[in-house]
Amino acid sequence: MPVVVVTDSSSRLPRSVTEHYGIRQVPLHVTVDDKDYREGVDDIPADIVTTPGVTTSGANPGDLSEYFDAALEASEGAGVVAVHMSRRLSGTWSSARLAAEKFSGQVRVVDSRSVGLAVGFTAIAAAQAAADGADRDRVYESAIRQAATVDSLLCVQQLDNLRSSGRISAAGKLFGSALSIKPILHMVDGTLTLRERHRTFSKALDKMVDAAADSAGGRAVTVGIQHCQSPEVAEELRAAVHTKLRVVTSELIVDLGPILGTHVGPGAVGVVIAAHLDPIEGLAEQ
């Protein structure tokens, strides 16, 4: 059996893709009014992203240990590679490292240094390597390479959610609030940083498309479009990105879901560009 890849629900991978590659997603948690919901498992109210007092939390070592144990059994000794969201945004990576200690080196943990579909594309890169017969160490190296090259950009309608969750720097808060300026955020070494700022959301979207094209650099790339409860804007963004890119090998459009949506707020949209990724299988089943 091939190496089994484990990730967390921040990866936003659709079930058809995870089932095709045998990727296992550990749920993250969102809590409101003392009720805990597991992302991807429980029915979570859509309005939770705007509900006051919502908190989110990563997977804990106990949950991760259970997933690693089951994945190791499924791999029949080939091992597990776990790909998680940036350690600078969540405690999930640290919990995964702690949980992996009990498995005597059979589980290797990757810090994707990102979030959302950038995590998902890194997990897919690992799963594709595993499907090609790579051993645990080579699968791990494939994930590390993908994590180092994937590019993730995000436009938000307002920064209140990011401000309250502490997911953006003090400078980013200032630029985002002054004169209702709309920022383009960029994942850099595991943190959200301010890339550009514009006076209108439409201008910010246009510039984000240009930045995505620059990232692609004329290469064949995989494209991810992610949004928070804004499917129409996401489709417009997808179409605009296509006009700028030479070759798109695969694409995914996903909602950011309740965990990430709580942090970025309704109306946020983003684009992820990944080179060095084989065409994604399982998409036709969505």
Side-chain angles (χ1 to χ4, degrees):
M1 292 291 292
V3 173
V4 173
V5 175
V6 174
T7 186
D8 56 67
S9 60
S10 77
S11 67
R12 306 312 301 154
L13 293 177
R15 181 168 296 179
S16 63
V17 173
T18 58
E19 288 181 349
H20 178 86
Y21 289 106
I23 298 171
R24 299 171 181 234
Q25 291 192 111
V26 184
L28 304 182
H29 298 260
V30 57
T31 303
V32 60
D33 296 331
D34 295 324
K35 184 170 183 179
D36 179 75
Y37 296 93
R38 297 165 297 170
E39 187 175 46
V41 177
D42 300 321
D43 291 329
I44 303 177
D47 63 357
I48 203 166
V49 300
T50 56
T51 301
V54 172
T55 59
T56 63
S57 58
N60 61 55
D63 291 341
L64 288 156
S65 182
E66 289 182 11
Y67 272 78
F68 292 165
D69 195 33
L72 277 172
E73 184 177 354
S75 78
E76 297 180 356
V80 169
V81 171
V83 178
H84 294 294
M85 65 189 294
S86 170
R87 75 179 81 177
R88 302 179 74 173
L89 297 177
S90 168
T92 300
W93 178 87
S94 296
S95 294
R97 286 291 298 270
L98 184 62
E101 290 178 359
K102 67 176 284 189
F103 296 104
S104 304
Q106 293 177 291
V107 178
R108 299 203 66 179
V109 182
V110 176
D111 178 358
S112 70
R113 299 190 295 178
S114 198
V115 71
L117 276 177
V119 182
F121 288 165
T122 301
I124 289 173
Q128 289 177 342
D132 288 340
D135 62 19
R136 183 185 62 248
D137 291 342
R138 287 191 293 145
V139 170
Y140 172 84
E141 290 164 2
S142 295
I144 292 294
R145 284 194 298 271
Q146 186 62 63
T149 58
V150 69
D151 207 6
S152 185
L153 300 154
L154 180 73
C155 287
V156 297
Q157 293 280 14
Q158 42 78 30
L159 282 172
D160 291 344
N161 294 66
L162 284 167
R163 180 184 295 115
S164 62
S165 67
R167 292 318 197 268
I168 191 168
S169 69
K173 295 177 191 177
L174 175 63
F175 288 132
S177 59
L179 301 177
S180 299
I181 285 171
K182 304 303 181 183
I184 301 175
L185 303 175
H186 189 202
M187 287 298 305
V188 178
D189 197 24
T191 61
L192 272 174
T193 64
L194 181 71
R195 179 187 175 102
E196 300 177 31
R197 55 191 189 274
H198 299 280
R199 292 191 178 276
T200 66
F201 193 66
S202 61
K203 183 67 171 179
L205 290 179
D206 289 342
K207 291 298 184 180
M208 184 169 67
V209 171
D210 291 341
D214 289 343
S215 176
R219 299 170 295 175
V221 294
T222 298
V223 175
I225 303 295
Q226 44 196 5
H227 64 92
C228 180
Q229 301 179 354
S230 294
E232 296 86 2
V233 178
E235 178 55 34
E236 292 173 5
L237 177 60
R238 183 204 67 80
V241 168
H242 268 264
T243 67
K244 295 279 188 175
L245 301 186
R246 181 172 299 175
V247 179
V248 176
T249 58
S250 301
E251 67 177 17
L252 277 170
I253 302 180
V254 302
D255 192 289
L256 284 163
I259 300 291
L260 301 183
T262 294
H263 293 289
V264 301
V269 291
V271 58
V272 180
I273 301 293
H276 318 301
L277 196 63
D278 292 338
I280 299 174
E281 299 183 45
L283 293 178
E285 301 167 21
Q286 294 186 82

